[in-house]
Amino acid sequence: TANVRGNRNLGGLVGTSRGAISNAYAMGSVTGVASGSTLAQAVGALVGIQSGGSITSSYAIGYVAGANDRGGLVGSNPSNVTNSYWDKETTGVPSDAGGTAKTTADLQGALPTGFDSAIWGIGENLYPYLKWQYSGTPVAVSGKAYSDAGSMVLAGADVSAISGGSLLGTATAGA
């Protein structure tokens, strides 16, 4: 998922939800930006504002920042949320009215309650993933990227994974 910036009703998956969200996730950061002297409103890692509908079997892990009403799962007006979670360590939101806070280890250790194993997969050091997205179990790659022969950790630089001369993918290094 992508990173999102804006002033109001911002979510990693959707800004304003009026319908059903099921078996979904968001991983990008969501940053509310002030408009004049007014802080951003309704900023959530999955949904900015929920105006009816429901959220089931979903999760979010993206960092949430810069808002009066921010949430680990839903920024404002969470209602009818079942079996849905956010990572309280990565989102920076320790508590919220909608969904259930989990640690990174809790979300990566096993499928959360209510997640159907026919739809969701899990692997070592992985967040739940939708099985239709992968032909097999994905592999987590983690570590630090360095510049200058290992003297300085890279942040914000593109890092590529190559195996057997073929590019496997590219990601941006964190802090």
Side-chain angles (χ1 to χ4, degrees):
T1 57
N3 297 327
V4 179
R5 291 179 56 86
N7 180 257
R8 72 180 312 134
N9 302 351
L10 303 172
L13 181 67
V14 62
T16 301
S17 175
R18 294 182 177 92
I21 295 174
S22 180
N23 297 311
Y25 66 93
M27 295 183 157
S29 66
V30 184
T31 304
V33 179
S35 176
S37 62
T38 305
L39 286 178
Q41 298 175 0
V43 179
L46 187 73
V47 173
I49 186 167
Q50 186 179 2
S51 298
S54 62
I55 300 172
T56 57
S57 302
S58 298
Y59 75 93
I61 64 169
Y63 185 71
V64 180
N68 280 333
D69 47 351
R70 68 185 186 122
L73 197 68
V74 179
S76 181
N77 200 31
S79 59
N80 200 13
V81 178
T82 55
N83 297 326
S84 295
Y85 309 89
W86 78 93
D87 186 323
K88 65 183 180 180
E89 296 169 336
T90 61
T91 62
V93 180
S95 63
D96 187 356
T100 303
K102 295 278 190 180
T103 65
T104 300
D106 287 341
L107 283 172
Q108 291 182 344
L111 286 180
T113 300
F115 279 44
D116 184 343
S117 62
I119 296 171
W120 293 93
I122 193 79
E124 187 177 346
N125 297 317
L126 296 176
Y127 285 99
Y129 61 91
L130 295 166
K131 287 185 173 181
W132 64 264
Q133 291 181 304
Y134 301 94
S135 59
T137 302
V139 176
V141 177
S142 64
K144 294 182 181 178
Y146 294 92
S147 68
D148 301 329
S151 63
M152 188 159 126
V153 176
L154 289 175
D158 287 339
V159 178
S160 298
I162 299 172
S163 176
S166 298
L167 177 66
L168 299 176
T170 301
T172 302

